[in-house]
Amino acid sequence: MPSLPPGRLFYGGDYNPEQWPESVWLEDMRYMKEAGVNLVSIGIFSWAKLQSAPGVFHFGWLDRLMDLLAKNGIMADLATATVSPPAWLIKLHPEILPTLADGSRQWHGSRQHYNPSSSAYRAACAELVTALATRYKDHPALAMWHINNEYACHVPADYGNETAAAFREWLKQRHGSLEALNAAWGTAFWSQHYYDWSEIIPPRAMPSFQNPGQCLDFARFSSDALLECCLVEQRILRAITPDKPVTTNFMEWVKALDYRKWAEHLDFTCLDIYPEPTGSSRPLAQNADMTRSWRPDVPWFIMEQVTTHVNWRSRNATKRPGLMRLWSYAAIARGADGICFFQWRQARAGAEKFHGSMLGHGDPATQRCFQETKQLGNELAHLGEIAGSKIRAETAIYFDQQNWWALELPSKPNADLKYNRGVENFYTPLLRANLAVDFAFAVSDLSRYKVVFAPALYLVAPGVAEKLEAFVAAGGQLVLTYFSGIVDEHDRVHLGGYPAPFRQLLGLEVEEWAVPPDDRASSLAITPAGAALGLPGKLASSFWAEAIRAEGCEVLATFTEGYLAGRPALTRRAHGKGHAWYLGTELDAAGYAALVKTVTDTAGLRPPLAAPADVEVVERHAADGTRYAFVLNHRDEPVTVSDPSLRGRELLSARDLAGALELPPLGVAIVRR
Ligand code: GLA
């Protein structure tokens, strides 16, 4: 498999030299070397500069740039430049422009203004990518390919006529016959029956609730349509440069794209992430773990983050000094082998001129962004031994993209149901407990895990319940939560009493849902069985409740109010060598922490080191058995971490430790053990 040169961490950013006179490029090279930059992403938005008409290319400037990079020992992550179709192409093929659900069009003048199903767009991409790959295939600066940019960031789906035709073809492949489609979509409802394929359209603006089966298939189709755009390029690159890795930059928590499926076609995954600088590091950690989990076999990259602040929030808070460094190490701790930024040099014009950068508008000698960039780059240059080491998690959060699409379709018992709520409920306490966590999918091998949390698993496709049951039988602890096991892959209810696919495994039936009308919390009472497992005296419950009838499970907590008083809220059933747990309500943060602790204690899980609150500890494991413990102080005050096993060389200070470590505010240590 094509891969990047081993034994080093990659450091750099998006570089847009086409926005600057070539005299500035020499200064860029000098500062890049000063900052330890070894990789830049170039050409992302360069289509208009590279091509002025069909077959008419202008590679002179890119030739000079590639040569300059090679001369300075900086690798090129060469973009295929297809994200922003130039004005001449739109004039020639206005049908490329996207159509919204209400039938209106979007225009040229910003970026990503293309319909993924447009054949003219795909053909133009193929022409450009072929020309680029042919020209630079043997260039010494070429290290990897960056396909397009942030697919679906602005246009996740198109609703026009060309898309409608493509959607029908996709549906024919999926369902085989109209009869099967009518059955899958439940079109006997509201007179929605189809007699001919040509009657089917994308779920455009409609008077009332759309058909859920149609919406679910359209979500699948739209992800596949963009994936096909990516594959049009990937196939060309594979054919012309089979030894060069290809990737495309993923974003955080993206609903539109089934990234797990996408990742199979890339050589490694990468993440663009811009957490609110005044918020917690949870989004960074969670998305880092997800990005790694899409392709657990290979290291991943942060492809974009910002040194200071973005320009696209209504108030763009800045990262305080030290935070960029801390969060960069937090990503490396979770398996990243590359740390890159948007962008190298801050733009002078255009919509992003006030977006933070590695090199700002002022004097680099006094710029905080450049000084912090330089410090980190020079540190990473000495940490090459970490590259390629892996995370070994014994806990997984089960994640299913189809479930996400289905769960958040409208007309549910509670409109505020969100998949991320369920994921975060478990992710947050696992992060705080410093227990490493992977995301696992229908295709994953679960046997490597001791605990699997499967929140809000509403859609259960064929094979999934069997897989989870086998995990429990083999000794795993499985935690399912409310409104799980409800529908099949077409969003049709699994009959046989909720949650039909899990009823036997859980030993219960959910007779009905009892969603509270407001946010008021009530309390759960812990049963002696729950107390024996270490659950605290009381747990707070809100948002959702269920009338659960125990059919062979242990009851660990019960509701205390209304007609549910005394009925099960939290249960567990032994099955084979493991347990299947079920939570029929929403807890508060303390409640989830207590539940996670109880379950992970049952499985005998321990963090790599004892550490005070808000000190993150994550370990990377090298193939030769060396472990690198990343100790990250998220507090704005110094901390002491003491643990008898905290021994070995601290790599950033090059000191040997003997069981304790002082960390300054936002400080980082990497201990080779
Ligand atoms: C995205 C894009 C970049 C830039 C940044 C700004 O990540 O990929 O081109 O627009 O956002 O935050």
Side-chain angles (χ1 to χ4, degrees):
M1 198 177 71
S3 56
L4 285 163
R8 74 183 87 182
L9 298 175
F10 296 87
Y11 189 61
D14 283 19
Y15 180 35
N16 302 305
E18 67 271 35
Q19 298 171 7
W20 297 90
E22 294 195 18
S23 55
V24 175
W25 300 4
L26 295 174
E27 191 183 276
D28 286 330
M29 295 303 116
R30 186 156 52 82
Y31 285 123
M32 280 181 192
K33 286 199 283 187
E34 200 179 316
V37 166
N38 57 18
L39 179 83
V40 286
S41 302
I42 54 171
I44 296 177
F45 296 100
S46 304
W47 196 343
K49 185 100 177 171
L50 287 169
Q51 190 180 8
S52 56
V56 183
F57 295 99
H58 310 280
F59 288 126
W61 70 273
L62 190 51
D63 292 350
R64 291 192 291 284
L65 178 67
M66 290 286 280
D67 291 349
L68 194 62
L69 291 173
K71 198 170 138 208
N72 285 279
I74 296 168
M75 291 172 274
D77 167 31
L78 183 53
T80 57
T82 51
V83 65
S84 206
W88 63 260
L89 179 62
I90 297 302
K91 192 173 158 210
L92 209 58
H93 290 289
E95 75 275 17
I96 287 177
L97 293 171
T99 303
L100 303 181
D102 66 0
S104 63
R105 306 295 295 272
Q106 288 183 319
W107 298 93
H108 171 269
S110 67
R111 63 176 179 185
Q112 212 174 81
H113 43 278
Y114 61 85
N115 165 13
S117 296
S118 161
S119 48
Y121 169 69
R122 289 184 187 179
C125 289
E127 189 196 15
L128 174 61
V129 175
T130 305
L132 268 171
T134 308
R135 186 154 190 108
Y136 297 108
K137 64 181 170 33
D138 298 318
H139 198 286
L142 178 66
M144 59 184 275
W145 290 105
H146 182 112
I147 297 181
N148 200 277
N149 192 65
E150 292 192 343
Y151 279 108
C153 177
H154 310 298
V155 184
D158 177 274
Y159 295 81
N161 291 337
E162 191 167 0
T163 296
F167 184 38
R168 286 175 205 128
E169 290 311 309
W170 185 95
L171 289 169
K172 282 180 198 166
Q173 294 293 320
R174 176 166 172 81
H175 295 283
S177 70
L178 262 184
E179 199 186 349
L181 177 140
N182 277 303
W185 288 9
T187 56
F189 179 78
W190 281 359
S191 192
Q192 290 169 355
H193 187 87
Y194 295 102
Y195 287 97
D196 192 275
W197 290 102
S198 63
E199 294 160 7
I200 300 173
I201 54 169
R204 294 174 176 155
M206 293 178 191
S208 181
F209 293 120
Q210 297 164 325
N211 179 302
Q214 180 184 8
C215 292
L216 191 50
D217 271 347
F218 189 67
R220 293 178 176 121
F221 159 80
S222 298
S223 173
D224 283 357
L226 278 166
L227 176 57
E228 185 51 31
C229 288
C230 179
L231 291 178
V232 162
E233 301 191 18
Q234 185 255 36
R235 287 190 282 260
I236 294 167
L237 299 172
R238 284 263 190 269
I240 301 176
T241 55
D243 56 331
K244 295 296 173 196
V246 301
T247 192
T248 184
N249 44 346
F250 289 176
M251 298 170 286
E252 56 185 293
W253 195 248
V254 168
K255 188 171 172 186
L257 303 181
D258 186 352
Y259 277 158
R260 213 243 12 106
K261 184 171 172 184
W262 280 59
E264 286 175 9
H265 302 281
L266 305 171
D267 292 312
F268 65 95
T269 53
C270 52
L271 172 69
D272 295 357
I273 183 153
Y274 297 93
E276 171 59 55
T278 53
S280 86
S281 66
R282 194 271 317 153
L284 173 71
Q286 182 178 319
N287 285 284
D289 284 339
M290 277 202 119
T291 306
R292 182 187 69 248
S293 300
W294 306 130
R295 278 300 297 271
D297 50 332
V298 281
W300 61 280
F301 270 35
I302 290 275
M303 188 57 92
E304 287 183 27
Q305 61 168 351
V306 69
T307 52
T308 51
H309 56 82
V310 298
N311 65 311
W312 40 260
R313 294 193 170 97
S314 53
R315 291 200 183 191
N316 295 295
T318 197
K319 289 179 179 166
R320 58 198 187 282
L323 190 63
M324 177 277 274
R325 176 176 178 269
L326 176 72
W327 284 5
S328 298
Y329 281 114
I332 296 172
R334 289 171 190 278
D337 274 3
I339 295 292
C340 299
F341 296 84
F342 179 83
Q343 56 184 328
W344 165 251
R345 184 184 278 276
Q346 188 168 4
R348 182 176 184 196
E352 292 184 326
K353 57 186 171 294
F354 300 122
H355 192 290
S357 62
M358 301 166 84
L359 190 65
H361 289 147
D363 176 3
T366 55
Q367 278 166 29
R368 180 165 73 86
C369 65
F370 185 66
Q371 295 309 316
E372 291 192 17
T373 293
K374 201 164 102 176
Q375 183 195 346
L376 180 61
N378 286 296
E379 287 174 1
L380 298 188
H382 297 105
L383 295 173
E385 65 176 273
I386 292 167
S389 54
K390 300 261 165 65
I391 311 298
R392 290 202 197 137
E394 294 180 301
T395 302
I397 293 179
Y398 186 83
F399 177 87
D400 185 330
Q401 187 75 30
Q402 325 250 330
N403 176 58
W404 187 1
W405 289 328
L407 181 76
E408 295 184 7
L409 286 170
S411 95
K412 296 280 173 15
N414 186 333
D416 294 327
L417 266 182
K418 294 280 179 276
Y419 201 19
N420 197 24
R421 177 185 193 122
V423 171
E424 266 185 60
N425 283 340
F426 291 105
Y427 190 86
T428 304
L430 288 165
L431 174 66
R432 294 211 175 119
N434 288 325
L435 293 172
V437 54
D438 284 343
F439 285 84
F441 317 103
V443 296
S444 305
D445 171 14
L446 298 183
S447 67
R448 70 176 77 168
Y449 303 113
K450 292 186 173 156
V451 179
V452 170
F453 296 95
L457 193 55
Y458 161 78
L459 181 151
V460 177
V464 170
E466 295 78 357
K467 185 182 182 91
L468 294 174
E469 182 167 339
F471 165 74
V472 178
Q477 305 295 321
L478 170 70
V479 180
L480 289 164
T481 66
Y482 59 86
F483 209 45
S484 287
I486 305 301
V487 299
D488 67 9
E489 74 276 27
H490 304 300
D491 201 42
R492 298 176 308 194
V493 169
H494 282 297
L495 298 178
Y498 311 128
F502 299 123
R503 253 184 85 180
Q504 250 196 323
L505 174 65
L506 295 170
L508 55 80
E509 183 185 5
V510 174
E511 292 174 347
E512 60 184 36
W513 303 299
V515 173
D518 52 38
D519 291 338
R520 202 176 57 86
S522 59
S523 53
L524 301 180
I526 306 302
T527 65
L533 287 170
L535 286 168
K538 264 190 183 176
L539 293 173
S541 144
S542 62
F543 188 71
W544 190 280
E546 299 185 334
I548 295 172
R549 188 159 46 75
E551 291 175 327
C553 59
E554 285 174 84
V555 178
L556 307 180
T558 56
F559 292 103
T560 58
E561 288 184 21
Y563 80 102
L564 294 183
R567 299 195 63 166
L570 175 66
T571 68
R572 184 177 91 147
R573 180 171 168 266
H575 173 70
K577 296 186 194 148
H579 293 99
W581 306 62
Y582 185 71
L583 176 65
T585 185
E586 177 89 350
L587 305 175
D588 62 6
Y592 280 107
L595 177 59
V596 163
K597 184 169 184 333
T598 303
V599 176
T600 54
D601 281 355
T602 306
L605 302 187
R606 296 277 170 275
L609 289 173
D614 297 323
V615 174
E616 183 180 358
V617 182
V618 193
E619 258 186 345
R620 286 182 67 156
H621 299 250
D624 67 359
T626 309
R627 289 175 295 153
Y628 298 97
F630 286 71
V631 189
L632 306 147
N633 179 16
H634 290 273
R635 298 194 201 176
D636 284 303
E637 60 199 47
V639 289
T640 304
V641 182
S642 329
D643 184 302
S645 74
L646 191 51
R647 290 173 189 282
R649 169 132 299 212
E650 198 289 302
L651 300 180
L652 294 168
S653 61
R655 280 185 305 117
D656 290 323
L657 302 181
L661 172 66
E662 305 279 331
L663 281 174
L666 307 183
V668 177
I670 307 170
V671 189
R672 189 202 287 131
R673 303 165 91 195

